Structure formats: structure tokens, C-alpha cells
């Protein structure tokens, strides 16, 4: 147990470390003016060594949300790939202002997403999103964004149990999804379902990709009937439970070893999607006892009151030690401001209030704009 407490202490200490990060983008003096009835929503995103390796001047994760009437980038009715759980407008959401916000970095402009250019750059390539339903959210978003640029392109959609792919046939670009909420293996044994923190046999399915976009955290906190495992396995021992941040740290370290041993950096670009926040508790933005239900505008403040989630600290700790180049899409701080962007009661598949996932069109489109900026700037 001493190791567990020691590891958690290291994580807590790491959260106090200073971070800085940059990505080279052309600066611009142009600004976007929002209607007088709207507020500019600002975020300061802590960043890390992964971004600093780019050596540029612009931190694309530090900026503000601005009202832009040219958004969204596509309509819910024009994209054939959106699952009901994300299709908020189709399932009755009455407001649409949340669709009109664009992320504006402080010291540069993001390049406008161009699906035609994306397909040309990745012609004949395979892109895989690996993770949980937040990966599904981002995978569908990217597919919709590309489709809006080439609406007449021939596509092939395959959906299976834990696997899906969309192929843009004219360019031979495959965008795949591999569902594995923990990245490490969840296996059935005599004792029951075991989450194995030191095993990652799933990784055999990720080899041979030209781009990998990883994500995990959403399921690590589940308890009770929604917990998909009975035991945590680590080093040949079974634990009924473990501090979830320590477990996440151990599992993500196993993933990092997989990247170090299996990724050829000259052939495969690797991204980590970052920690997607939830908005179930209004106290996080100083409005208890509210939730995301009924929220129609971003949080109007400079710093999100709840602060940086500890899962973000774990991700940065692991990525700071990885040997292969992995780019962190540091979406946490900018997404924390978007308490207005969840399906809430307007999901076609989830009962109750969903403050975990995001409407499409919506916030995941910004995540893909940031991905696009990292690839094309």
C-alpha cells in the first residue's frame, strides 16, 4: 500500500508544477466581434513539455470562446454519421446559440478546417481513434466535418461490436474507431471480470495505423452497477478496489510502454485526446445545485472555479516521461467552460441527463479543429 500512497503523493505534487506550451501558427491582428448581448468566454489552459517541443509562439489551447454566426461547420441533418445520443437538435433541443461559439486562441488564429485538404494529405492512410465514448464523439465529429467539405464523396460505413470505420473511398482514407474504455485489458477470469493494469493485448489491433488518437478516463470513476469490473489486477495480485487516480496512472503507464515499444514515430503520429470534463454539479462553476440541463451559454469567467482535474495531472505526468513523440490535445480547460454543450435531456439514446458527452455539431468539432491545426500548421 505504501507504493499507492507514494504514487498519489507524486501526482498531487505534480499538479503544482508550472507548465508552458506553444505551437507555431501565423499570428494575426484580426478579431471577431460578438453581439453586445454575448460575453467573451476565456480559458487559461495549463500546458506541458509535449507542446513545448513544437518550439513555436502560439499556445492554441489558451484563448476564449467568441460568438461566430458562420458556425456550426455542418448541420445535424446533413451528416449521416451522427448517433442519436449526440444528435441534440434532432431530439428536441430548443436553443441553438451553443452551436455558434468558436475557439479563438489569444495570440493566433486557428486555420479554417478544410476537409478536402485533410483527405488529400491523408490519402491512402488509416486514422484510428482508440478509447471510450468520448473517442466516439470525436470520431463522428471528424467524419461529419470532412463530409461537409465533400458532401458528394463516396463513403463506406462499417459498425461492429467495439469497432467502426468510415472510409472516404475516392481518397482511400479510413477513419476507424476502436472502443476500449481503459486502454489496458478487461478480461474474464474464474474470479470474475478483471481490469488488468499491466496488460494491453488490445494493442495488437492498433498497429499499422498512420495516426492514433487515444483517450481514456471516463470509465475509471464508475462504481456500483455501472462498474464493468469486479477486481483490479496488478502484478499478479487482485484488488477489490484501488484509488482510481493511482489505477489510472498505472494503466496509462502501461499504455505509454506500449507506445514506446510499438510505435514507429517516422510512420505514425500519436495524439492523446485529453481529459473531457463533465458538468453534473453546478458547484463546479459556482451555481449549485444546477447541472448542464438548461445551460445555454458557456461559463463567463477567466478561470473555471473547479480548477484543474486530477486526471489531467495524471495524463501530463505520464506523457512527460514517454520517449516517443505524443502530442497532447489539451482540451480540458477550454471544454470546462462549455457547460452549455452537453446533450443533457436531448439525447436519443440516454435516459436522464447526460452531462458527460457532447452534442454534434458542437464542442468535439473544436477538438478536431485543434487536431487539424496540429497537423497543418
Amino acid at each position: 500500500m505504501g507504493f499507492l500512497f507514494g504514487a498519489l503523493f507524486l501526482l498531487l505534487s505534480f499538479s503544482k508544477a508550472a507548465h508552458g506550451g506553444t505551437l507555431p501558427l501565423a499570428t494575426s491582428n484580426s478579431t471577431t466581434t460578438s453581439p453586445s448581448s454575448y460575453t467573451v468566454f476565456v480559458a487559461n489552459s495549463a500546458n506541458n513539455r509535449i507542446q513545448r517541443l513544437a518550439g513555436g509562439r502560439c499556445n492554441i489551447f489558451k484563448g476564449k470562446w467568441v460568438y461566430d454566426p458562420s458556425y456550426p461547420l455542418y448541420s445535424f441533418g446533413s451528416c449521416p454519421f451522427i448517433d442519436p445520443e449526440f444528435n441534440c437538435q434532432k431530439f428536441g433541443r430548443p436553443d441553438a446559440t451553443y452551436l455558434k461559439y468558436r475557439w479563438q486562441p489569444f495570440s493566433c488564429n486557428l486555420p479554417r478546417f478544410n476537409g478536402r485538404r485533410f483527405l488529400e494529405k491523408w490519402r491512402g492512410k488509416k486514422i484510428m481513434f482508440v478509447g471510450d465514448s468520448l473517442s466516439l464523439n470525436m470520431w463522428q465529429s471528424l467524419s461529419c466535418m470532412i463530409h461537409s467539405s465533400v458532401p458528394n464523396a463516396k463513403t463506406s460505413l462499417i459498425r461492429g461490436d467495439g469497432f467502426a470505420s468510415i472510409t472516404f473511398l475516392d481518397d482511400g482514407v479510413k477513419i476507424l474507431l476502436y472502443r476500449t474504455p481503459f486502454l489496458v485489458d478487461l478480461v474474464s477470469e474464474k474470479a470474475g471480470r478483471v481490469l488488468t493494469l499491466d496488460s494491453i493485448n488490445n494493442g495488437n489491433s492498433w498497429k499499422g495505423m498512420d495516426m492514433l488518437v487515444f483517450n481514456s478516463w471516463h470509465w475509471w470513476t464508475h462504481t456500483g452497477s455501472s462498474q464493468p469490473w469486479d477486481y483490479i489486477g496488478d502484478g499478479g495480485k487482485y484488488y477489490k478496489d484501488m484509488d482510481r487516480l493511482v489505477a489510472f496512472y498505472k494503466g496509462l503507464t502501461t499504455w505509454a510502454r506500449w507506445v514506446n515499444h510499438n510505435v514507429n514515430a517516422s510512420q505514425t503520429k500519436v495524439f492523446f485526446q485529453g481529459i473531457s470534463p463533465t458538468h453534473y454539479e453546478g458547484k463546479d462553476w459556482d451555481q449549485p445545485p444546477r447541472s448542464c440541463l438548461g445551460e445555454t451559454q458557456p461559463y463567463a469567467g477567466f478561470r473555471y472555479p473547479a480548477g484543474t482535474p486530477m486526471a489531467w495531472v495524471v495524463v501530463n505526468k505520464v506523457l512527460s516521461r514517454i520517449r516517443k513523440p505524443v502530442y497532447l490535445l489539451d482540451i480540458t480547460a477550454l471544454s470546462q467552460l462549455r457547460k452549455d454543450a452537453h446533450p443533457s435531456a436531448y439525447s436519443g439514446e440516454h435516459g436522464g441527463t447526460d452531462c458527460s458527452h457532447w452534442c454534434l455539431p458542437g464542442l468535439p468539432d473544436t477538438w478536431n479543429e485543434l487536431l487539424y491545426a496540429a497537423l497543418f500548421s
Side-chain angles (χ1 to χ4, degrees):
M1 294 299 292
F3 172 81
L4 301 184
F5 287 113
L8 187 57
F9 175 78
L10 289 175
L11 298 178
L12 292 169
S13 300
F14 182 74
S15 67
K16 300 178 182 179
H19 305 286
T22 54
L23 183 72
L25 292 175
T27 58
S28 171
N29 294 323
S30 63
T31 59
T32 299
T33 303
S34 59
S36 58
S37 59
Y38 292 97
T39 307
V40 171
F41 304 90
V42 181
N44 273 334
S45 172
N47 290 278
N48 54 51
R49 185 179 65 88
I50 293 91
Q51 275 88 49
R52 285 207 298 272
L53 294 176
R57 296 182 302 278
C58 178
N59 181 348
I60 60 174
F61 306 107
K62 186 176 181 181
K64 58 189 177 182
W65 289 103
V66 298
Y67 183 89
D68 187 335
S70 71
Y71 274 59
L73 300 178
Y74 56 93
S75 70
F76 76 93
S78 66
C79 181
F81 309 124
I82 306 176
D83 281 350
E85 62 185 304
F86 309 136
N87 207 333
C88 305
Q89 291 291 305
K90 180 177 179 179
F91 287 92
R93 180 160 178 170
D95 61 303
T97 303
Y98 72 95
L99 297 171
K100 299 294 184 179
Y101 287 104
R102 174 176 57 81
W103 181 247
Q104 176 63 59
F106 286 135
S107 54
C108 59
N109 289 329
L110 292 177
R112 187 76 174 185
F113 185 88
N114 185 321
R116 177 70 266 163
R117 186 183 178 199
F118 188 98
L119 290 175
E120 290 172 354
K121 179 179 177 65
W122 291 93
R123 179 170 291 146
K125 305 293 186 182
K126 292 183 289 186
I127 300 165
M128 178 177 278
F129 290 84
V130 182
D132 56 31
S133 51
L134 278 308
S135 293
L136 171 65
N137 229 174
M138 190 173 177
W139 172 76
Q140 290 188 1
S141 164
L142 179 61
S143 301
C144 288
M145 291 167 70
I146 296 173
H147 181 267
S148 69
S149 295
V150 288
N152 297 319
K154 296 178 181 178
T155 59
S156 172
L157 172 63
I158 299 173
R159 298 291 295 264
D161 185 17
F163 177 84
S165 70
I166 295 172
T167 304
F168 289 84
L169 297 171
D170 295 334
D171 295 277
V173 177
K174 288 188 176 182
I175 305 176
L176 305 103
L177 174 73
Y178 188 96
R179 183 173 173 79
T180 174
F182 303 100
L183 299 181
V184 292
D185 296 330
L186 181 63
V187 299
S188 295
E189 299 186 5
K190 287 184 178 180
R193 301 164 300 172
V194 181
L195 178 62
T196 56
L197 301 183
D198 50 3
S199 171
I200 200 160
N201 293 323
N202 285 330
N204 290 329
S205 300
W206 314 336
K207 296 177 181 179
M209 299 295 139
D210 299 286
M211 186 197 307
L212 289 165
V213 184
F214 291 98
N215 163 66
S216 186
W217 172 240
H218 182 66
W219 279 87
W220 288 85
T221 60
H222 286 210
T223 59
S225 60
S226 66
Q227 177 181 297
W229 45 264
D230 302 303
Y231 296 94
I232 295 176
D234 182 39
K237 296 182 179 180
Y238 289 177
Y239 300 89
K240 191 64 179 175
D241 207 349
M242 181 185 294
D243 184 284
R244 301 305 176 83
L245 284 168
V246 173
F248 183 48
Y249 176 79
K250 286 171 167 279
L252 212 58
T253 299
T254 299
W255 164 80
R257 285 197 296 269
W258 182 92
V259 171
N260 283 334
H261 294 153
N262 293 281
V263 169
N264 183 337
S266 66
Q267 298 177 359
T268 306
K269 292 184 180 295
V270 181
F271 292 83
F272 197 90
Q273 187 174 329
I275 299 299
S276 175
T278 62
H279 291 93
Y280 285 104
E281 300 186 37
K283 66 181 179 63
D284 287 346
W285 61 93
D286 292 338
Q287 287 188 311
R290 299 171 67 166
S291 72
C292 70
L293 181 62
E295 296 296 320
T296 59
Q297 293 190 18
Y299 172 76
F302 187 72
R303 291 186 183 276
Y304 191 65
T308 302
M310 287 303 299
W312 182 96
V313 176
V314 173
V315 169
N316 278 265
K317 183 68 173 177
V318 172
L319 293 186
S320 71
R321 295 176 171 179
I322 203 165
R323 296 194 306 272
K324 295 293 178 68
V326 176
Y327 188 96
L328 174 62
L329 290 174
D330 198 359
I331 62 170
T332 303
L334 63 93
S335 300
Q336 283 180 315
L337 303 183
R338 296 308 308 272
K339 58 186 174 63
D340 59 318
H342 295 282
S344 62
Y346 305 103
S347 169
E349 291 183 349
H350 284 272
T353 300
D354 183 358
C355 298
S356 296
H357 303 98
W358 308 91
C359 296
L360 293 180
L363 178 66
D365 303 332
T366 296
W367 301 348
N368 281 310
E369 287 182 290
L370 296 166
L371 174 66
Y372 185 87
L375 293 171
F376 287 88
S377 299

